[in-house]
Amino acid sequence: TDKCPAFYQATASQGDDQLSGFVVFILGLVILFICLFAMVQILQKMLLGMSTRIIYKATNINGYLAMLVGVAITILVQSSSITTSTFTPLVGMGVIRLEQMYPITLGANIGTTITALLAALLSDAAAMQVALAHLFFNISGIIVWYPIPFLRKVPLHAARQLGKATRIWKGFPIMYIFVMFFIVPLIFLGLSALFTNGAIGLTVLGAMCTILLFAAIVYGVYWWRWKGGKDSCYECLVTRQKRSDAMKDLPDDMEFLKAKIRELQEHTGLIDSDVESVDNTKEGSDAEATNEGASTEEAVESA
């Protein structure tokens, strides 16, 4: 705004404005992570004893009612990120079951569209169309994935599998975010650009890439289910975590080994005597080899 002297200048260029926006974005991310970390620590210290059981019983309600609770909370705080970031640590600590968290998250996704609807009331028809599209997109997703019990289990199972993978390898969330939020969108944006460019050659190339992508997905599912892909991925994650733990514990292990070696040297003297015996044996072997070489040369000269 024009009241912030740190990031606003009346004579600033477009590059200055972009740089200021980038700096504010980085600061916002840092503050967000600090607040989330502090929130988790506070919740872990507060939710002990009776409070855990009270929250568990308070959230053990009908799924559709929990969805309304998620909508109401998100409307009050005007952010679904706050709602999900508050309840997610509770699930990790076992205060709330995953089945209870699921409808609250769906309700938060609907509640976050209210902000766009309120803003669209003061704008033109195009803004209202976008806000309504956002609202009905979330409602359509809920209609597909929640009312039918079989489909309801799909995201719950996926969440449990992602949690297990994170427990096995701590770096999995970073890889998952990078792939799902950067690599996959770039692939689909690239395919979309090939089809919408207007050139026949690029359209043919896009069709071929789509066929190859579909074949890769089919083979990936086949490899995961019937060719041992799941076990291979599990072993890979375990190996990566063991390697990370070994590198992290290596300095402590080396110090421990050095301390034990010093104790042996001070109290038993076995290591020093062994070293001396090895050195003496090596010197004796060298002397014998020298003598044998000299005798061989004398025999050759006499012959």
Side-chain angles (χ1 to χ4, degrees), residues 121-199:
L121 291 175
L122 302 177
S123 186
D124 55 2
M128 181 59 69
Q129 290 177 356
V130 173
L132 291 175
H134 187 198
L135 172 63
F136 284 105
F137 176 80
N138 289 326
I139 293 176
S140 301
I142 293 173
I143 293 174
V144 172
W145 294 108
Y146 191 77
I148 303 174
F150 173 75
L151 294 177
R152 189 185 306 171
K153 295 179 181 179
V154 174
L156 293 175
H157 177 72
R160 289 190 174 94
Q161 294 302 318
L162 293 176
K164 291 179 181 178
T166 303
R167 185 177 58 187
I168 296 171
W169 180 39
K170 299 299 186 296
F172 178 79
I174 299 176
M175 185 190 71
Y176 176 80
I177 292 173
F178 179 74
V179 172
M180 298 304 296
F181 291 92
F182 291 96
I183 301 299
V184 174
L186 284 176
I187 291 174
F188 284 104
L189 285 174
L191 292 176
S192 176
L194 290 176
F195 283 106
T196 58
N197 190 271

Side-chain angles (χ1 to χ4, degrees), residues 58-137:
T59 55
N60 191 19
I61 56 179
N62 181 270
Y64 295 98
L65 183 59
M67 204 177 298
L68 294 177
V69 171
V71 173
I73 294 175
T74 307
I75 291 175
L76 290 175
V77 298
Q78 292 294 305
S79 174
S80 61
S81 299
I82 296 177
T83 305
T84 55
S85 299
T86 302
F87 283 96
T88 299
L90 302 181
V91 179
M93 292 184 294
V95 179
I96 301 176
R97 292 186 296 111
L98 188 61
E99 290 79 5
Q100 298 168 339
M101 176 65 182
Y102 182 38
I104 294 176
T105 304
L106 295 178
N109 290 334
I110 294 179
T112 192
T113 62
I114 304 301
T115 303
L117 287 173
L118 293 177
L121 291 175
L122 302 177
S123 186
D124 55 2
M128 181 59 69
Q129 290 177 356
V130 173
L132 291 175
H134 187 198
L135 172 63
F136 284 105
F137 176 80

Side-chain angles (χ1 to χ4, degrees), residues 235-283:
E235 294 176 359
C236 179
L237 294 178
V238 171
T239 303
R240 286 183 175 274
Q241 187 60 37
K242 286 183 178 179
R243 188 180 305 167
S244 177
D245 294 339
M247 294 300 295
K248 186 184 299 183
D249 299 335
L250 183 60
D252 296 335
D253 294 340
M254 293 299 295
E255 294 297 329
F256 175 78
L257 292 175
K258 290 179 181 179
K260 289 298 181 183
I261 292 174
R262 285 193 294 267
E263 290 179 3
L264 288 173
Q265 290 176 342
E266 293 174 357
H267 293 88
T268 64
L270 292 177
I271 296 180
D272 293 337
S273 61
D274 292 341
V275 172
E276 292 177 357
S277 63
V278 171
D279 292 338
N280 294 330
T281 303
K282 184 177 180 181
E283 292 176 358

Side-chain angles (χ1 to χ4, degrees), residues 48-63:
L48 297 175
M50 289 296 297
S51 59
T52 301
R53 291 190 288 271
I54 292 173
I55 294 177
Y56 181 85
K57 292 181 179 179
T59 55
N60 191 19
I61 56 179
N62 181 270

